[in-house]
Amino acid sequence: MTSVPQGISQTGDKLLLTPGPLTTSKAVKAAMLHDWGSRDAVFLAANKDVLRRIAEIAERGESHVTVPVQGSGTFAVEAMITSFVPKSGKVLICINGAYGVRAKRIAEIAGRAVATLEFPEDTPVDPAALDAALAKDGAITHVFMVQCETTSGVLNPIDALAEIVAKRGRRTLIDAMSAFGALALSKACVYDALAASSNKNLEGVPGLGFVVCDKAALAQTKGNATTLVLDLHDQWQGFEKTGQWRFTPPIHTIMSLAKALDEHAAEGGVAGRGKRYAANCAVLVAGLRKLGFETLLPDALQAPIIVTVRMPADPKFRFQTFYDRLKDHGYVIYPGKLTVADSFRIGCIGRIDQDQMRGCLAAIAATLAEMGVASGAPARAAAAE
Ligand SMILES: *Cc1c(COP(=O)(O)O)cnc(C)c1O
């Protein structure tokens, strides 16, 4: 029998190899062991600092400001779309996965005019197709795009897409949820707003969404919002006038995010974190292939965030059993969310390193052996042999 190292976090928990929430460090969780009032000077200073450091990570300089919202990442995406796209506007949603589909629903519920540009889940959004769509429809004011589509793990070419949007005189809105903090955009990339959250690559706990906003564009959004709580303009003005949140802030999330941002900086910022995730991803993909598994994406399209694996063809393979046994070994993986292929996912992000990835691969090998599955090869590869 292969020996399988137990997957275990700094606080003795199972490792979350998922798209988030993720495994966080002990120090990040320990930062929450206090009470603070929402008007506490210590909290307000930390809050201001956290928002400034997020804008720094975005590398936009003084032209942009971070506006936070209470809630998960989707709250930030909804705040971004409904605050930036005016009632008279029209948003083109680029879709190659579930998060694009979700953005379309948000815009529709808000009563905004919507157009879509759709691609299969294993295909990046094509800049030439975007250019053609914008040339054809002069009513489109905004374009929404997802940097890393976590549904499959595919990386979209945001720099090229945003350049086309700017050339055509329209505005870019980015869902960078599963990219921010590990995958940089070019400094020349122009956008009105970019949404992300505390609990993905920043390795904080859940509870805070935020939108990095171009101040000049944000200043024009007064009155656009469709809800009080997700009104980014009002939220921004609140901070400008009083330095305080309008409604109860997720104080513990913010205080622990301050610690998580220290760890992010200590690791070498976006480049350092991206490097660790890329190493995790490379170890994972190579190990899976050795066991016969096939990844959905070719390496060139794979973001080092989450890997989609095609379901093995062996009739002895049962995903639920596989999942449960890996969990017993301390590795929590994630079901698939694809329509193009039966699959499951394994995340490369969070407070996890290469050794832990190797431990997960050992657990996968042991589990396949226990199940009597000879190879992880999917049906298509088996048929091709
Ligand atoms: C995680 C994620 C979100 C937000 O999901 P929540 O469950 O609301 O935190 C949005 N877009 C992408 C691409 C994501 O990966």
Side-chain angles (χ1 to χ4, degrees), residues 208-270:
L208 184 79
F210 53 83
V211 185
V212 178
C213 304
D214 179 284
K215 282 185 205 165
L218 181 61
Q220 294 167 15
T221 63
K222 190 171 161 69
N224 286 352
T226 53
T227 66
L228 174 65
V229 291
L230 297 179
D231 185 339
L232 289 179
H233 188 276
D234 202 44
Q235 186 87 317
W236 175 48
Q237 287 304 301
F239 284 115
E240 292 285 302
K241 287 186 190 123
T242 69
Q244 296 183 1
W245 286 71
R246 295 177 299 161
F247 317 118
T248 301
I251 295 179
H252 294 76
T253 302
I254 294 163
M255 294 308 281
S256 66
L257 186 57
K259 186 73 205 167
L261 290 170
D262 291 344
E263 292 181 355
H264 185 264
E267 194 174 2
V270 175

Short mmCIF file of all heavy atoms in Angstrom, two decimals, residues 208-270:
data_model
loop_
_atom_site.label_atom_id
_atom_site.label_comp_id
_atom_site.label_asym_id
_atom_site.label_seq_id
_atom_site.Cartn_x
_atom_site.Cartn_y
_atom_site.Cartn_z
N LEU A 208 -16.66 39.41 2.71
CA LEU A 208 -16.45 40.73 2.13
C LEU A 208 -16.29 40.62 0.61
O LEU A 208 -15.41 39.91 0.13
CB LEU A 208 -15.18 41.37 2.72
CG LEU A 208 -14.92 42.81 2.25
CD1 LEU A 208 -15.81 43.78 3.01
CD2 LEU A 208 -13.46 43.20 2.43
N GLY A 209 -17.14 41.33 -0.11
CA GLY A 209 -16.95 41.51 -1.54
C GLY A 209 -16.40 42.91 -1.74
O GLY A 209 -16.58 43.78 -0.87
N PHE A 210 -15.72 43.15 -2.84
CA PHE A 210 -15.25 44.52 -3.10
C PHE A 210 -15.16 44.77 -4.59
O PHE A 210 -15.04 43.83 -5.38
CB PHE A 210 -13.91 44.80 -2.40
CG PHE A 210 -12.83 43.80 -2.70
CD1 PHE A 210 -12.06 43.91 -3.85
CD2 PHE A 210 -12.58 42.74 -1.84
CE1 PHE A 210 -11.06 42.99 -4.13
CE2 PHE A 210 -11.58 41.81 -2.11
CZ PHE A 210 -10.82 41.94 -3.26
N VAL A 211 -15.26 46.05 -4.93
CA VAL A 211 -15.17 46.45 -6.32
C VAL A 211 -14.12 47.56 -6.43
O VAL A 211 -14.23 48.59 -5.76
CB VAL A 211 -16.54 46.95 -6.85
CG1 VAL A 211 -16.46 47.24 -8.35
CG2 VAL A 211 -17.64 45.93 -6.55
N VAL A 212 -13.09 47.31 -7.23
CA VAL A 212 -12.08 48.33 -7.49
C VAL A 212 -12.64 49.18 -8.64
O VAL A 212 -12.87 48.68 -9.74
CB VAL A 212 -10.72 47.69 -7.88
CG1 VAL A 212 -9.70 48.77 -8.21
CG2 VAL A 212 -10.22 46.79 -6.75
N CYS A 213 -12.91 50.46 -8.32
CA CYS A 213 -13.66 51.32 -9.26
C CYS A 213 -12.81 52.48 -9.76
O CYS A 213 -12.10 53.12 -8.96
CB CYS A 213 -14.86 51.93 -8.55
SG CYS A 213 -15.99 50.77 -7.79
N ASP A 214 -12.93 52.78 -11.04
CA ASP A 214 -12.37 54.01 -11.60
C ASP A 214 -13.19 55.17 -11.01
O ASP A 214 -14.40 55.22 -11.17
CB ASP A 214 -12.51 53.96 -13.13
CG ASP A 214 -11.96 55.22 -13.77
OD1 ASP A 214 -12.65 56.26 -13.71
OD2 ASP A 214 -10.87 55.16 -14.32
N LYS A 215 -12.50 56.08 -10.32
CA LYS A 215 -13.23 57.13 -9.59
C LYS A 215 -14.08 57.99 -10.51
O LYS A 215 -15.20 58.36 -10.17
CB LYS A 215 -12.23 58.03 -8.84
CG LYS A 215 -11.69 57.42 -7.55
CD LYS A 215 -10.82 58.46 -6.84
CE LYS A 215 -9.80 57.78 -5.96
NZ LYS A 215 -8.72 58.69 -5.54
N ALA A 216 -13.54 58.34 -11.69
CA ALA A 216 -14.29 59.20 -12.61
C ALA A 216 -15.56 58.49 -13.08
O ALA A 216 -16.64 59.10 -13.16
CB ALA A 216 -13.41 59.58 -13.80
N ALA A 217 -15.46 57.20 -13.36
CA ALA A 217 -16.63 56.44 -13.80
C ALA A 217 -17.61 56.26 -12.65
O ALA A 217 -18.83 56.40 -12.82
CB ALA A 217 -16.19 55.08 -14.34
N LEU A 218 -17.09 56.00 -11.46
CA LEU A 218 -17.94 55.81 -10.28
C LEU A 218 -18.74 57.08 -9.98
O LEU A 218 -19.91 57.02 -9.60
CB LEU A 218 -17.07 55.41 -9.08
CG LEU A 218 -17.77 55.15 -7.74
CD1 LEU A 218 -18.76 53.98 -7.86
CD2 LEU A 218 -16.75 54.86 -6.64
N ALA A 219 -18.08 58.23 -10.19
CA ALA A 219 -18.75 59.51 -9.91
C ALA A 219 -19.99 59.71 -10.79
O ALA A 219 -20.90 60.45 -10.43
CB ALA A 219 -17.75 60.65 -10.11
N GLN A 220 -20.01 59.01 -11.94
CA GLN A 220 -21.16 59.15 -12.86
C GLN A 220 -22.28 58.16 -12.56
O GLN A 220 -23.27 58.10 -13.30
CB GLN A 220 -20.69 58.93 -14.30
CG GLN A 220 -19.75 60.00 -14.81
CD GLN A 220 -19.05 59.58 -16.11
OE1 GLN A 220 -19.45 58.64 -16.78
NE2 GLN A 220 -17.99 60.29 -16.44
N THR A 221 -22.14 57.34 -11.50
CA THR A 221 -23.12 56.26 -11.29
C THR A 221 -24.22 56.63 -10.29
O THR A 221 -25.05 55.79 -9.96
CB THR A 221 -22.42 54.98 -10.76
OG1 THR A 221 -21.82 55.26 -9.49
CG2 THR A 221 -21.36 54.49 -11.74
N LYS A 222 -24.24 57.86 -9.83
CA LYS A 222 -25.25 58.27 -8.85
C LYS A 222 -26.66 58.02 -9.40
O LYS A 222 -26.96 58.43 -10.52
CB LYS A 222 -25.08 59.75 -8.51
CG LYS A 222 -25.90 60.23 -7.33
CD LYS A 222 -25.47 61.66 -6.98
CE LYS A 222 -26.47 62.43 -6.15
NZ LYS A 222 -26.68 62.00 -4.82
N GLY A 223 -27.47 57.33 -8.61
CA GLY A 223 -28.86 57.09 -9.01
C GLY A 223 -29.06 55.86 -9.87
O GLY A 223 -30.19 55.50 -10.19
N ASN A 224 -27.99 55.17 -10.27
CA ASN A 224 -28.14 53.97 -11.10
C ASN A 224 -28.65 52.76 -10.31
O ASN A 224 -29.36 51.91 -10.85
CB ASN A 224 -26.79 53.55 -11.70
CG ASN A 224 -26.34 54.46 -12.82
OD1 ASN A 224 -27.09 55.33 -13.27
ND2 ASN A 224 -25.12 54.27 -13.29
N ALA A 225 -28.27 52.68 -9.04
CA ALA A 225 -28.48 51.44 -8.27
C ALA A 225 -29.95 51.04 -8.21
O ALA A 225 -30.85 51.88 -8.25
CB ALA A 225 -27.93 51.61 -6.86
N THR A 226 -30.16 49.73 -8.11
CA THR A 226 -31.53 49.19 -8.04
C THR A 226 -31.86 48.76 -6.61
O THR A 226 -32.98 48.38 -6.33
CB THR A 226 -31.68 48.00 -8.98
OG1 THR A 226 -30.63 47.06 -8.70
CG2 THR A 226 -31.58 48.43 -10.43
N THR A 227 -30.85 48.75 -5.72
CA THR A 227 -31.10 48.45 -4.31
C THR A 227 -30.30 49.45 -3.47
O THR A 227 -29.30 50.00 -3.94
CB THR A 227 -30.63 47.03 -3.91
OG1 THR A 227 -29.21 46.96 -4.01
CG2 THR A 227 -31.26 45.96 -4.76
N LEU A 228 -30.73 49.62 -2.23
CA LEU A 228 -30.01 50.51 -1.31
C LEU A 228 -28.69 49.89 -0.89
O LEU A 228 -27.64 50.54 -0.90
CB LEU A 228 -30.90 50.76 -0.08
CG LEU A 228 -30.26 51.55 1.07
CD1 LEU A 228 -29.93 52.98 0.65
CD2 LEU A 228 -31.18 51.56 2.28
N VAL A 229 -28.73 48.59 -0.52
CA VAL A 229 -27.53 47.97 0.08
C VAL A 229 -26.40 47.78 -0.92
O VAL A 229 -25.24 47.77 -0.54
CB VAL A 229 -27.86 46.62 0.76
CG1 VAL A 229 -28.70 46.84 2.01
CG2 VAL A 229 -28.52 45.65 -0.18
N LEU A 230 -26.72 47.61 -2.20
CA LEU A 230 -25.67 47.35 -3.21
C LEU A 230 -25.35 48.59 -4.04
O LEU A 230 -24.81 48.49 -5.13
CB LEU A 230 -26.08 46.18 -4.10
CG LEU A 230 -26.23 44.83 -3.39
CD1 LEU A 230 -26.65 43.74 -4.38
CD2 LEU A 230 -24.95 44.42 -2.68
N ASP A 231 -25.68 49.76 -3.52
CA ASP A 231 -25.41 51.02 -4.23
C ASP A 231 -23.95 51.43 -3.97
O ASP A 231 -23.62 51.96 -2.92
CB ASP A 231 -26.38 52.09 -3.72
CG ASP A 231 -26.24 53.40 -4.49
OD1 ASP A 231 -25.18 53.61 -5.12
OD2 ASP A 231 -27.18 54.20 -4.46
N LEU A 232 -23.09 51.17 -4.94
CA LEU A 232 -21.66 51.45 -4.76
C LEU A 232 -21.39 52.94 -4.63
O LEU A 232 -20.49 53.36 -3.89
CB LEU A 232 -20.85 50.88 -5.93
CG LEU A 232 -20.74 49.36 -6.00
CD1 LEU A 232 -19.92 48.95 -7.23
CD2 LEU A 232 -20.09 48.78 -4.75
N HIS A 233 -22.15 53.77 -5.34
CA HIS A 233 -21.94 55.21 -5.25
C HIS A 233 -22.23 55.70 -3.84
O HIS A 233 -21.44 56.44 -3.24
CB HIS A 233 -22.82 55.93 -6.28
CG HIS A 233 -22.51 57.39 -6.39
ND1 HIS A 233 -23.05 58.34 -5.54
CD2 HIS A 233 -21.69 58.08 -7.23
CE1 HIS A 233 -22.57 59.54 -5.87
NE2 HIS A 233 -21.74 59.40 -6.88
N ASP A 234 -23.35 55.24 -3.30
CA ASP A 234 -23.74 55.65 -1.94
C ASP A 234 -22.74 55.12 -0.91
O ASP A 234 -22.36 55.82 0.03
CB ASP A 234 -25.16 55.12 -1.65
CG ASP A 234 -25.84 55.91 -0.54
OD1 ASP A 234 -25.76 57.16 -0.56
OD2 ASP A 234 -26.43 55.27 0.35
N GLN A 235 -22.31 53.88 -1.12
CA GLN A 235 -21.34 53.27 -0.20
C GLN A 235 -20.03 54.10 -0.21
O GLN A 235 -19.46 54.40 0.83
CB GLN A 235 -21.07 51.82 -0.65
CG GLN A 235 -20.20 51.00 0.27
CD GLN A 235 -21.00 50.32 1.39
OE1 GLN A 235 -21.88 50.91 2.00
NE2 GLN A 235 -20.71 49.07 1.63
N TRP A 236 -19.60 54.43 -1.40
CA TRP A 236 -18.38 55.23 -1.58
C TRP A 236 -18.51 56.59 -0.89
O TRP A 236 -17.63 57.02 -0.15
CB TRP A 236 -18.13 55.40 -3.09
CG TRP A 236 -16.99 56.27 -3.49
CD1 TRP A 236 -15.72 56.24 -2.99
CD2 TRP A 236 -17.02 57.29 -4.49
NE1 TRP A 236 -14.95 57.18 -3.64
CE2 TRP A 236 -15.72 57.84 -4.56
CE3 TRP A 236 -18.00 57.79 -5.34
CZ2 TRP A 236 -15.38 58.87 -5.45
CZ3 TRP A 236 -17.67 58.80 -6.23
CH2 TRP A 236 -16.37 59.34 -6.27
N GLN A 237 -19.64 57.26 -1.15
CA GLN A 237 -19.85 58.58 -0.55
C GLN A 237 -19.87 58.50 0.97
O GLN A 237 -19.38 59.39 1.66
CB GLN A 237 -21.16 59.20 -1.08
CG GLN A 237 -21.04 59.67 -2.53
CD GLN A 237 -19.90 60.67 -2.70
OE1 GLN A 237 -19.87 61.72 -2.07
NE2 GLN A 237 -18.93 60.34 -3.53
N GLY A 238 -20.44 57.39 1.48
CA GLY A 238 -20.45 57.17 2.94
C GLY A 238 -19.03 57.16 3.49
O GLY A 238 -18.73 57.83 4.48
N PHE A 239 -18.15 56.42 2.82
CA PHE A 239 -16.76 56.35 3.29
C PHE A 239 -16.06 57.71 3.15
O PHE A 239 -15.29 58.11 4.02
CB PHE A 239 -15.97 55.29 2.51
CG PHE A 239 -16.29 53.89 2.95
CD1 PHE A 239 -16.90 52.99 2.09
CD2 PHE A 239 -16.00 53.48 4.24
CE1 PHE A 239 -17.21 51.71 2.50
CE2 PHE A 239 -16.30 52.20 4.66
CZ PHE A 239 -16.91 51.30 3.79
N GLU A 240 -16.33 58.39 2.04
CA GLU A 240 -15.69 59.69 1.82
C GLU A 240 -16.08 60.69 2.92
O GLU A 240 -15.27 61.46 3.39
CB GLU A 240 -16.11 60.26 0.45
CG GLU A 240 -15.57 59.48 -0.74
CD GLU A 240 -14.10 59.73 -1.00
OE1 GLU A 240 -13.72 60.90 -1.21
OE2 GLU A 240 -13.32 58.76 -0.97
N LYS A 241 -17.37 60.64 3.31
CA LYS A 241 -17.87 61.63 4.28
C LYS A 241 -17.53 61.28 5.72
O LYS A 241 -17.21 62.16 6.50
CB LYS A 241 -19.39 61.77 4.12
CG LYS A 241 -19.77 62.52 2.85
CD LYS A 241 -21.26 62.80 2.75
CE LYS A 241 -21.62 63.32 1.36
NZ LYS A 241 -22.64 62.50 0.70
N THR A 242 -17.63 59.98 6.08
CA THR A 242 -17.52 59.63 7.51
C THR A 242 -16.42 58.59 7.77
O THR A 242 -16.10 58.36 8.94
CB THR A 242 -18.84 59.03 8.02
OG1 THR A 242 -19.03 57.75 7.40
CG2 THR A 242 -20.03 59.92 7.70
N GLY A 243 -15.90 57.95 6.74
CA GLY A 243 -14.92 56.88 6.95
C GLY A 243 -15.56 55.61 7.48
O GLY A 243 -14.87 54.65 7.82
N GLN A 244 -16.90 55.61 7.56
CA GLN A 244 -17.59 54.47 8.16
C GLN A 244 -18.50 53.76 7.18
O GLN A 244 -18.91 54.31 6.16
CB GLN A 244 -18.45 54.97 9.34
CG GLN A 244 -17.58 55.55 10.45
CD GLN A 244 -18.37 55.99 11.65
OE1 GLN A 244 -19.58 55.85 11.68
NE2 GLN A 244 -17.68 56.52 12.63
N TRP A 245 -18.81 52.53 7.51
CA TRP A 245 -19.77 51.75 6.73
C TRP A 245 -21.18 52.29 7.00
O TRP A 245 -21.46 52.77 8.09
CB TRP A 245 -19.72 50.28 7.16
CG TRP A 245 -18.52 49.53 6.68
CD1 TRP A 245 -17.23 49.68 7.10
CD2 TRP A 245 -18.49 48.50 5.68
NE1 TRP A 245 -16.40 48.82 6.43
CE2 TRP A 245 -17.15 48.08 5.56
CE3 TRP A 245 -19.47 47.90 4.88
CZ2 TRP A 245 -16.77 47.07 4.67
CZ3 TRP A 245 -19.08 46.90 4.00
CH2 TRP A 245 -17.75 46.49 3.89
N ARG A 246 -22.05 52.17 6.00
CA ARG A 246 -23.44 52.61 6.20
C ARG A 246 -24.19 51.66 7.11
O ARG A 246 -25.04 52.07 7.89
CB ARG A 246 -24.18 52.68 4.85
CG ARG A 246 -23.65 53.71 3.87
CD ARG A 246 -24.39 53.64 2.55
NE ARG A 246 -24.22 52.33 1.93
CZ ARG A 246 -25.01 51.83 0.98
NH1 ARG A 246 -26.05 52.52 0.54
NH2 ARG A 246 -24.76 50.64 0.46
N PHE A 247 -23.92 50.36 6.97
CA PHE A 247 -24.61 49.33 7.75
C PHE A 247 -23.57 48.41 8.38
O PHE A 247 -22.41 48.44 7.97
CB PHE A 247 -25.57 48.53 6.85
CG PHE A 247 -26.36 49.41 5.91
CD1 PHE A 247 -26.24 49.28 4.53
CD2 PHE A 247 -27.20 50.41 6.41
CE1 PHE A 247 -26.93 50.12 3.67
CE2 PHE A 247 -27.90 51.25 5.54
CZ PHE A 247 -27.76 51.11 4.17
N THR A 248 -23.97 47.57 9.31
CA THR A 248 -23.01 46.73 10.05
C THR A 248 -21.99 46.07 9.12
O THR A 248 -22.36 45.32 8.22
CB THR A 248 -23.75 45.62 10.83
OG1 THR A 248 -24.66 46.26 11.72
CG2 THR A 248 -22.77 44.76 11.62
N PRO A 249 -20.71 46.37 9.32
CA PRO A 249 -19.68 45.76 8.48
C PRO A 249 -19.33 44.34 8.95
O PRO A 249 -19.54 44.02 10.12
CB PRO A 249 -18.48 46.68 8.68
CG PRO A 249 -18.71 47.40 9.98
CD PRO A 249 -20.18 47.39 10.25
N PRO A 250 -18.78 43.52 8.04
CA PRO A 250 -18.27 42.21 8.45
C PRO A 250 -16.91 42.40 9.12
O PRO A 250 -15.87 42.13 8.53
CB PRO A 250 -18.17 41.44 7.13
CG PRO A 250 -17.96 42.50 6.09
CD PRO A 250 -18.60 43.77 6.60
N ILE A 251 -16.94 42.90 10.34
CA ILE A 251 -15.74 43.37 11.04
C ILE A 251 -14.66 42.29 11.14
O ILE A 251 -13.49 42.52 10.84
CB ILE A 251 -16.11 43.87 12.46
CG1 ILE A 251 -17.02 45.10 12.33
CG2 ILE A 251 -14.85 44.19 13.26
CD1 ILE A 251 -17.46 45.67 13.65
N HIS A 252 -15.09 41.08 11.54
CA HIS A 252 -14.10 40.03 11.73
C HIS A 252 -13.45 39.62 10.42
O HIS A 252 -12.26 39.32 10.37
CB HIS A 252 -14.75 38.83 12.44
CG HIS A 252 -15.16 39.17 13.83
ND1 HIS A 252 -16.29 39.91 14.12
CD2 HIS A 252 -14.56 38.92 15.02
CE1 HIS A 252 -16.36 40.10 15.42
NE2 HIS A 252 -15.33 39.50 15.99
N THR A 253 -14.23 39.62 9.36
CA THR A 253 -13.70 39.30 8.04
C THR A 253 -12.64 40.33 7.65
O THR A 253 -11.58 39.98 7.12
CB THR A 253 -14.84 39.30 6.99
OG1 THR A 253 -15.81 38.34 7.39
CG2 THR A 253 -14.32 38.97 5.62
N ILE A 254 -12.92 41.59 7.92
CA ILE A 254 -12.00 42.66 7.54
C ILE A 254 -10.73 42.62 8.39
O ILE A 254 -9.61 42.76 7.88
CB ILE A 254 -12.71 44.03 7.65
CG1 ILE A 254 -13.83 44.11 6.60
CG2 ILE A 254 -11.71 45.18 7.47
CD1 ILE A 254 -14.85 45.21 6.85
N MET A 255 -10.88 42.39 9.69
CA MET A 255 -9.70 42.33 10.57
C MET A 255 -8.81 41.14 10.19
O MET A 255 -7.58 41.24 10.22
CB MET A 255 -10.13 42.22 12.03
CG MET A 255 -10.85 43.46 12.56
SD MET A 255 -9.99 45.04 12.29
CE MET A 255 -8.78 45.01 13.59
N SER A 256 -9.43 40.04 9.82
CA SER A 256 -8.60 38.89 9.43
C SER A 256 -8.05 39.07 8.02
O SER A 256 -6.96 38.58 7.71
CB SER A 256 -9.37 37.58 9.55
OG SER A 256 -10.42 37.52 8.63
N LEU A 257 -8.77 39.83 7.17
CA LEU A 257 -8.24 40.12 5.84
C LEU A 257 -6.97 40.97 5.95
O LEU A 257 -6.05 40.83 5.14
CB LEU A 257 -9.30 40.80 4.97
CG LEU A 257 -8.93 41.04 3.50
CD1 LEU A 257 -8.54 39.75 2.79
CD2 LEU A 257 -10.09 41.71 2.75
N ALA A 258 -6.91 41.84 6.95
CA ALA A 258 -5.69 42.64 7.16
C ALA A 258 -4.50 41.70 7.35
O ALA A 258 -3.42 41.90 6.78
CB ALA A 258 -5.86 43.56 8.36
N LYS A 259 -4.71 40.64 8.14
CA LYS A 259 -3.64 39.65 8.38
C LYS A 259 -3.34 38.90 7.08
O LYS A 259 -2.18 38.65 6.74
CB LYS A 259 -4.10 38.68 9.47
CG LYS A 259 -3.04 37.71 9.91
CD LYS A 259 -1.98 38.41 10.75
CE LYS A 259 -0.68 37.66 10.69
NZ LYS A 259 0.44 38.44 11.24
N ALA A 260 -4.40 38.53 6.36
CA ALA A 260 -4.21 37.80 5.10
C ALA A 260 -3.43 38.65 4.09
O ALA A 260 -2.61 38.12 3.33
CB ALA A 260 -5.57 37.39 4.52
N LEU A 261 -3.65 39.96 4.11
CA LEU A 261 -2.92 40.84 3.19
C LEU A 261 -1.45 40.96 3.60
O LEU A 261 -0.57 41.08 2.74
CB LEU A 261 -3.58 42.22 3.13
CG LEU A 261 -4.94 42.26 2.42
CD1 LEU A 261 -5.63 43.61 2.62
CD2 LEU A 261 -4.80 41.95 0.93
N ASP A 262 -1.17 40.88 4.91
CA ASP A 262 0.24 40.83 5.36
C ASP A 262 0.91 39.59 4.77
O ASP A 262 2.04 39.65 4.29
CB ASP A 262 0.32 40.72 6.90
CG ASP A 262 -0.13 41.99 7.61
OD1 ASP A 262 -0.22 43.05 6.95
OD2 ASP A 262 -0.39 41.91 8.83
N GLU A 263 0.21 38.45 4.85
CA GLU A 263 0.78 37.20 4.34
C GLU A 263 0.97 37.26 2.83
O GLU A 263 1.94 36.74 2.28
CB GLU A 263 -0.13 36.02 4.72
CG GLU A 263 -0.16 35.75 6.22
CD GLU A 263 -1.04 34.57 6.61
OE1 GLU A 263 -1.73 34.00 5.73
OE2 GLU A 263 -1.03 34.22 7.81
N HIS A 264 0.01 37.91 2.15
CA HIS A 264 0.09 38.08 0.69
C HIS A 264 1.34 38.89 0.33
O HIS A 264 2.11 38.51 -0.56
CB HIS A 264 -1.19 38.76 0.20
CG HIS A 264 -1.30 38.89 -1.28
ND1 HIS A 264 -0.93 40.03 -1.96
CD2 HIS A 264 -1.75 38.03 -2.24
CE1 HIS A 264 -1.15 39.86 -3.25
NE2 HIS A 264 -1.64 38.65 -3.46
N ALA A 265 1.55 39.99 1.06
CA ALA A 265 2.73 40.84 0.80
C ALA A 265 4.02 40.06 1.11
O ALA A 265 4.99 40.12 0.34
CB ALA A 265 2.65 42.11 1.64
N ALA A 266 4.02 39.33 2.24
CA ALA A 266 5.22 38.58 2.64
C ALA A 266 5.58 37.51 1.62
O ALA A 266 6.75 37.14 1.47
CB ALA A 266 5.00 37.96 4.02
N GLU A 267 4.58 37.01 0.92
CA GLU A 267 4.81 35.96 -0.07
C GLU A 267 5.32 36.53 -1.40
O GLU A 267 5.66 35.78 -2.32
CB GLU A 267 3.51 35.16 -0.30
CG GLU A 267 3.72 33.85 -1.02
CD GLU A 267 2.46 33.01 -1.12
OE1 GLU A 267 1.38 33.45 -0.65
OE2 GLU A 267 2.55 31.91 -1.68
N GLY A 268 5.33 37.85 -1.49
CA GLY A 268 5.79 38.47 -2.74
C GLY A 268 4.63 38.98 -3.58
O GLY A 268 4.74 39.09 -4.81
N GLY A 269 3.51 39.28 -2.93
CA GLY A 269 2.37 39.88 -3.63
C GLY A 269 1.79 38.96 -4.69
O GLY A 269 1.84 37.73 -4.58
N VAL A 270 1.25 39.59 -5.73
CA VAL A 270 0.56 38.84 -6.79
C VAL A 270 1.51 37.84 -7.46
O VAL A 270 1.14 36.68 -7.70
CB VAL A 270 -0.02 39.82 -7.83
CG1 VAL A 270 -0.63 39.08 -9.01
CG2 VAL A 270 -1.06 40.73 -7.19
#
